[in-house]
Amino acid sequence: LERGMRQKGHSLSLSVGKHIVHGWRWGEGPAVLLLHGWSGSPLQFYAITEKLCDAGYSVIGFDLPGHGESKKWRPTLIDFAEAAEAARTEFGPFACAIAHSLGAMALGLAQVNVGVAEKLVFVSPLSQAVQALDTFSDLTGISRTLLERMRTRLEKKTGVPFTTCDFFELAPHLSTEVLVVHDRQDRMTPWEDARKWTAQCSNAKFISTEGLGHQRLLAESSVVEQILQFIGPAKHDIKSHFLEVYGL
């Protein structure tokens, strides 16, 4: 399915700082942006992409920095966010942006910075960047001491403390409509964290699933249908509608 999705797409490229990321566009109509997580790919969104194209949207997704055809540098969360901001400048404004895991945190940061999309969908979002280091330590056996050294180095490199990227900091600044989908059995990104910060968003809806874990939500038909209902019918004058929503 993922291979077929690649073949159906039109190739795109995007400048992000001094680098180029590569991706695809599927369908015609108002654009929806996809952001994958760490070790992910926009092709993981094949079920959502197919339904969006059928509904009159076009879908844009990139291999984010350090992944797939865009892997020629060592990425940070900030690089992910900057890729989302660059996509908004080049191809937006977007009717919606849909992000998974680490990509969700990057999208939240980019949305606060530049207003990427009219609506946001976060699937299995990473809620706290520091907590992710603990999970990574448990999964890989890399010591927490070493990961703390990495954290210090990354914060110095980017000039952005990890804690400022947390959804508990970002959530109050997300004024757009937000849909969060998270599974109770997710072992990568805590369900309880997402539930708590979603409550801080004035326009957020939280959907809880059971038994789908961290990845399978992206292909689950009931989840895809709820995402489509949240996004709604395609508005073909999305630019004017976006400017109206933001009072620009």
Side-chain angles (χ1 to χ4, degrees), residues 130-223:
V130 174
Q131 177 273 329
L133 296 181
D134 292 337
T135 301
F136 192 67
S137 176
D138 293 338
L139 290 172
T140 63
I142 299 174
S143 71
R144 283 172 170 77
T145 300
L146 184 59
L147 289 173
E148 280 298 323
R149 286 171 55 193
M150 181 190 74
R151 171 189 172 184
T152 300
R153 182 177 298 179
L154 289 175
E155 289 181 335
K156 183 176 180 181
K157 175 183 177 181
T158 63
V160 180
F162 269 35
T163 53
T164 63
C165 302
D166 290 356
F167 267 113
F168 290 98
E169 294 291 331
L170 297 173
H173 305 288
L174 296 174
S175 58
T176 55
E177 291 185 72
V178 175
L179 175 66
V180 179
V181 187
H182 213 128
D183 193 85
R184 284 180 178 270
Q185 282 76 50
D186 192 327
R187 295 189 296 174
M188 298 293 293
T189 57
W191 172 91
E192 182 65 19
D193 284 351
R195 187 191 64 79
K196 287 180 179 178
W197 68 254
T198 301
Q200 299 179 20
C201 292
S202 58
N203 298 309
K205 178 181 179 181
F206 185 79
I207 294 176
S208 181
T209 63
E210 296 278 354
L212 295 175
H214 188 64
Q215 303 277 4
R216 295 198 302 277
L217 283 76
L218 294 173
E220 171 61 35
S221 59
S222 62
V223 172

Side-chain angles (χ1 to χ4, degrees), residues 48-121:
I48 298 172
T49 297
E50 182 177 0
K51 292 290 187 179
L52 284 169
C53 291
D54 290 344
Y57 289 97
S58 63
V59 181
I60 293 176
F62 292 93
D63 283 335
L64 291 175
H67 293 74
E69 297 181 15
S70 311
K71 61 184 179 182
K72 294 185 178 180
W73 84 81
R74 297 176 182 175
T76 67
L77 171 66
I78 304 305
D79 293 317
F80 275 34
E82 289 179 350
E85 293 175 19
R88 187 259 185 264
T89 299
E90 185 70 19
F91 302 104
F94 296 102
C96 184
I98 307 172
H100 179 246
S101 194
L102 180 67
M105 183 174 283
L107 174 59
L109 187 60
Q111 180 72 16
V112 170
N113 288 341
V114 301
V116 174
E118 180 184 342
K119 294 184 178 182
L120 305 174
V121 177

